[in-house]
Amino acid sequence: MTTTPLDALAGHRRQMARRVSTVSALGFLLFLAVIADIATGASGMGPDTVIRGLIDPETLTRVQSVILFQVRLPQALMAVLVGAALALAGAEMQTILSNPLASPFTLGVSSAAAFGASIAIVLGISLPGIPANWIISANAFIFAFLSVLTLQALARLRGAGIETLVLFGIALVFAFNALTAMIQFVATQEALQQLVFWSMGSLSRADWNKVGILALVVAVVFPWALAQAPALTALRLGEERALSFGLNVARLRFVALLRVSLLAATAVAFVGTIGFVGLVGPHLARLLLGEDHRFLLPASAFAGALVMSLASLAGKLLMPGVTIPVGIVTALIGVPAFLALIIGRKERS
Amino acid sequence: MTILRHLKAAAAAVAFVFATAGMAVADPITVTDVAGREVTIPAPAKRLLLGEGRDLVTLSVVHPDPVSVLAGWLGDLRLLDTDTYEKFRTAYPAIERVPLVGSTNEESFSIEKALSVAPDLAVLGFAGHGPSPRSKEVIDRLTEAGIPIVFIDFRGKPLENTIPSLEILGKVLGQEERVARYVDYYRERLELVKSRVAASTAPRPKVLVDMRPTMDGGCCGSPGKGNLGEFVDLAGGHNIGADVLPAPLGPLDPEYVLTQDPSVYIATGTAGGAETGGIQMGAGIDPAATRESLGRLANRPVVGELSAVRDGRVYALWHSFYNSPLNIVAVEAIAKWVRPDLFADLDPDAVLADINGKFLPVSLDGSYAVALKPE
């Protein structure tokens, strides 16, 4: 029994169809999770009221309208966008560094953001001209972005291989953590508390401005990453192979890191540090779909968004009335899903 | 090692000198501190080690010349509440020469430095910036060096422990009469609030206490059981954080806050509040500055929608009242704000002025309890 080219073609088509349907299924699950997230909350306002209110806001009382449009919707959308942004950033980072443990957080982005936030919270230091309600976000963004640019600068040094980059990123984590600890050491207890809550990550800081900015970043970066999907897939097969295809690998890495820094820095600036989702989103997608980045990238974004959306939902159900920092819940939701997939996969192979 | 031996010898010598002096002039003093430990010292203490700098204000309630009995202290007041420190520095320039035994937290507390200032008594808080009953190494080293320790508390259980803590300090410093005057005043004020609340059958208004609000922090960090929530309950209000938060302080879900729709909103502010978009309060602050930031924060998303804010029942309280013998000012301010039906006649500003005039060697003037709309 030999496979003819025709068989191979048919097999390829079947495979493509299967991948498309897998990504679609993830998208549909995400849609359900978001609906559940919007229909859940401490006030007990259920799906019927929510759907009626979305169709005709006039039917809601004033408080209901504030709950739906100023609390639940921005938080639910923020969860989706943050999850998508961090998982997409993680997927690209794992590819360009060919390291399964790479994520924006393992390489210092979140530590840098936390340091930026800490000097705003504890010392009140920020760039001049930034309104008080933006200084924490602005500082977090600036430092997160600078940390990736530092990585970037190192990557451009001749002879700095990806192992060096990863080590350098890890060194950044320790450096920024130490700096943040120094700031914590001179903080008032009040400031310290605020910093601790910030670094646990929270969706309750979401508002339409922040949702809009992050949505814009994702809308710009996602198609851009998708356009480079074939090149990224080639890079995933190995650097020599990518070079033999005539790819400019250094440039590919540079541009990908730029996208990663935009996504991760914006997300972290608005919600604080939320670990794990940037690591686990891409792995979930990889387990489901393999290495073809045309599918891997959207699936990573969907998987990350799904994990965050479920974390937002679980956070409301665990302790009604209390905001559980979403960074805590993310890992609690993500780890079991991740383990289930890994174990399920082992049994299949 | 030899240094430590010298230190121990020095400490022992100091203890011996005081012990012999004590035998000559006074009976030993025995107190039971708020941790339930029985502590005996040979004579009134003259060289205090203060484990929390903020307790300098406490010390000034107890002693007419608080800096004269200060051998060493933690740096939290000096480094973090610079306005209050300045007031003390103006009155007692010698305070600049009192050695710091650490910066602003328990971890920075240097046992070596603490021993080297040769205190005859260590006064430590129950919880806060400095060492606490859980700081085993600190307690062990001080004990080995023969330095007795008393624990006081204005923070863990402020309503229970304020009076005992003051009385303990009055005893060990030989200032019992002075303390008794303040305690009588305090007790009378507190009883007035308690009795009126007990006699009232009206429903308790819902109160949101927003601790250290910032423009970027979402909504809302609230006391749970304990902390400033205790004062709200005592004053006849209902702290909505107490129903859902397991800890003394935690983040409330904004949707819960909206659903509860509290009728009174109280935000807290600190000395450096303005720098981080919070509320600026404390010694030497102009109440107008407090009002300006309070107005801004009360109109932020979610909070701005509450009945409390729409009806103009918006107030700011000095954050550090949760850990201060002057907490009666906070109790009266909250009572007046939350239950105008019972406490229209109270005047927290006058109470603070009263305390400043009658009991404190250094007047604390500034912004401590402010209504957005001056009455």
Side-chain angles (χ1 to χ4, degrees):
Chain A
M1 173 78 206
T2 52
T3 48
T4 64
L6 222 60
D7 285 341
L9 207 61
H12 177 70
R13 276 208 201 92
R14 274 200 303 277
Q15 196 185 34
M16 293 300 268
R18 201 168 52 240
R19 285 175 180 171
V20 169
S21 63
T22 306
V23 175
S24 310
L26 267 179
F28 183 66
L29 278 179
L30 173 62
F31 174 75
L32 291 182
V34 172
I35 294 294
D37 191 15
I38 295 173
T40 308
S43 66
M45 182 165 67
D48 49 338
T49 318
V50 167
I51 290 163
R52 206 179 63 230
L54 288 173
I55 295 164
D56 182 10
E58 296 301 309
T59 59
L60 298 176
T61 65
R62 194 163 169 285
V63 167
Q64 281 179 330
S65 149
V66 173
I67 287 175
L68 180 56
F69 292 105
Q70 302 302 326
V71 179
R72 284 196 195 175
L73 274 175
Q75 283 190 24
L77 295 176
M78 200 66 171
V80 168
L81 288 166
V82 165
L86 292 177
L88 191 60
E92 287 217 66
M93 216 149 188
Q94 286 169 13
T95 296
I96 57 174
L97 298 174
S98 66
N99 184 324
L101 292 179
S103 83
F105 288 16
T106 40
L107 297 187
V109 176
S110 73
S111 317
F115 175 66
S118 72
I119 60 174
I121 292 170
V122 175
L123 307 175
I125 295 173
S126 69
L127 289 179
I130 292 173
N133 50 329
W134 287 91
I135 67 168
I136 299 175
S137 295
N139 271 23
F141 179 85
I142 290 163
F143 277 88
F145 203 76
L146 283 177
S147 78
V148 187
L149 287 188
T150 318
L151 274 180
Q152 189 69 267
L154 192 87
R156 306 209 59 154
L157 287 178
R158 190 182 301 245
I162 46 180
E163 291 81 8
T164 317
L165 265 190
V166 172
L167 285 173
F168 187 72
I170 289 168
L172 277 186
V173 172
F174 284 98
F176 279 118
N177 283 354
L179 286 169
T180 305
M182 279 293 292
I183 301 281
Q184 287 176 328
F185 201 67
V186 298
T188 62
Q189 284 180 307
E190 294 78 34
L192 196 59
Q193 246 146 2
Q194 200 190 337
L195 186 56
V196 167
F197 281 128
W198 187 91
S199 58
M200 289 181 188
S202 168
L203 293 169
S204 71
R205 290 186 282 265
D207 62 31
W208 287 111
N209 291 335
K210 293 173 182 172
V211 168
I213 292 171
L214 187 54
L216 184 72
V217 170
V218 172
V220 168
V221 170
F222 185 61
W224 181 14
L226 219 49
Q228 294 202 303
L232 288 166
T233 308
L235 181 61
R236 189 76 189 99
L237 298 173
E239 197 162 345
E240 287 79 13
R241 180 115 40 130
L243 287 167
S244 71
F245 289 155
L247 283 174
N248 181 343
V249 172
R251 185 167 170 72
L252 185 64
R253 283 211 176 100
F254 171 81
V255 176
L257 264 180
L258 195 68
R259 287 193 295 264
V260 166
S261 55
L262 270 173
L263 288 170
T266 315
V268 176
F270 289 156
V271 294
T273 30
I274 296 173
F276 196 66
V277 69
L279 187 69
V280 79
H283 282 291
L284 288 171
R286 218 170 252 127
L287 287 167
L288 290 166
L289 288 147
E291 295 295 348
D292 185 341
H293 279 59
R294 286 170 305 173
F295 300 103
L296 179 65
L297 294 179
S300 293
F302 279 151
L306 181 63
V307 169
M308 279 303 290
S309 198
L310 290 174
S312 166
L313 179 64
K316 294 184 206 176
L317 296 173
L318 282 172
M319 288 175 80
V322 180
T323 299
I324 300 182
V326 76
I328 298 175
V329 194
T330 309
L332 294 179
I333 294 285
V335 172
F338 191 44
L339 289 179
L341 260 178
I342 293 174
I343 292 162
R345 198 179 163 81
K346 276 256 162 33
E347 284 168 357
R348 274 206 303 278
S349 54
Chain B
M1 281 300 98
T2 47
I3 292 177
L4 196 63
R5 258 212 311 278
H6 279 303
L7 278 174
K8 277 191 186 173
V14 168
F16 176 76
V17 168
F18 281 123
T20 46
M23 274 192 277
V25 296
D27 296 327
I29 299 165
T30 300
V31 293
T32 305
D33 73 4
V34 294
R37 303 155 60 257
E38 195 170 274
V39 183
T40 302
I41 56 172
K46 294 191 172 54
R47 294 186 54 77
L48 287 188
L49 170 69
L50 211 51
E52 170 140 5
R54 281 194 286 192
D55 278 327
L56 179 65
V57 177
T58 310
L59 199 54
S60 76
V61 171
V62 175
H63 200 288
D65 189 0
V67 176
S68 70
V69 291
L70 206 53
W73 63 326
L74 200 71
D76 57 290
L77 185 93
R78 184 171 176 167
L79 302 169
L80 299 178
D81 189 354
T82 46
D83 297 317
T84 305
Y85 175 75
E86 270 314 303
K87 284 189 182 289
F88 275 91
R89 198 181 60 91
T90 309
Y92 308 104
I95 198 168
E96 287 199 73
R97 294 189 298 278
V98 177
L100 294 183
V101 296
S103 61
T104 61
N105 49 39
E106 186 195 334
E107 289 72 25
S108 66
F109 181 89
S110 161
I111 295 178
E112 185 175 328
K113 186 76 188 168
L115 293 174
S116 75
V117 303
D120 55 9
L121 179 69
V123 176
L124 305 182
F126 222 57
H129 283 280
S132 71
R134 290 176 303 285
S135 313
K136 189 174 178 309
E137 295 75 15
V138 173
I139 295 166
D140 287 352
R141 296 298 92 77
L142 288 170
T143 308
E144 286 161 14
I147 298 162
I149 305 167
V150 290
F151 286 103
I152 56 173
D153 170 46
F154 299 93
R155 175 195 170 119
K157 294 178 177 160
L159 297 170
E160 258 176 65
N161 286 339
T162 294
I163 291 176
S165 297
L166 288 167
E167 287 174 337
I168 289 162
L169 287 178
K171 265 189 164 173
V172 297
L173 287 163
Q175 295 288 346
E176 285 166 273
E177 278 176 40
R178 188 180 153 86
V179 166
R181 282 202 302 276
Y182 182 76
V183 165
D184 288 347
Y185 177 88
Y186 181 100
R187 197 174 265 134
E188 192 186 329
R189 306 289 327 175
L190 197 67
E191 282 311 315
L192 174 89
V193 174
K194 279 185 179 169
S195 61
R196 286 193 199 175
V197 169
S200 161
T201 52
R204 289 170 168 254
K206 288 181 180 171
V207 181
L208 171 63
V209 181
D210 194 3
M211 292 188 83
R212 209 165 187 280
T214 60
M215 291 306 285
D216 192 54
C219 167
C220 293
S222 154
K225 294 169 182 63
N227 203 323
L228 285 180
E230 276 191 32
F231 299 1
V232 172
D233 285 344
L234 178 95
H238 176 73
N239 163 32
I240 62 167
D243 301 334
V244 289
L245 290 167
L249 178 69
L252 287 180
D253 179 349
E255 183 171 333
Y256 170 78
V257 174
L258 282 165
T259 312
Q260 290 288 312
D261 198 20
S263 50
V264 183
Y265 172 77
I266 301 172
T268 65
T270 53
E275 292 166 3
T276 53
I279 296 177
Q280 203 179 7
M281 296 195 87
I285 307 288
D286 179 1
T290 304
R291 270 191 203 100
E292 190 275 322
S293 48
L294 175 62
R296 203 161 22 85
L297 281 152
N299 283 307
R300 70 191 202 267
V302 177
V303 175
E305 306 292 339
L306 300 174
S307 295
V309 178
R310 293 212 307 281
D311 301 342
R313 295 179 73 182
V314 173
Y315 308 95
L317 192 67
W318 185 47
H319 190 92
S320 295
F321 276 135
Y322 81 97
N323 181 18
S324 164
L326 311 187
N327 53 31
I328 187 67
V329 178
V331 170
E332 298 211 20
I334 294 170
K336 187 181 175 69
W337 298 336
V338 173
R339 297 300 295 273
D341 56 324
L342 302 177
F343 299 111
D345 58 321
L346 293 191
D347 184 353
D349 293 344
V351 173
L352 185 60
D354 224 12
I355 292 173
N356 277 332
K358 289 181 189 164
F359 305 106
L360 294 182
V362 175
S363 255
L364 296 177
D365 319 302
S367 173
Y368 291 93
V370 173
L372 185 59
K373 293 182 176 167
E375 284 138 27

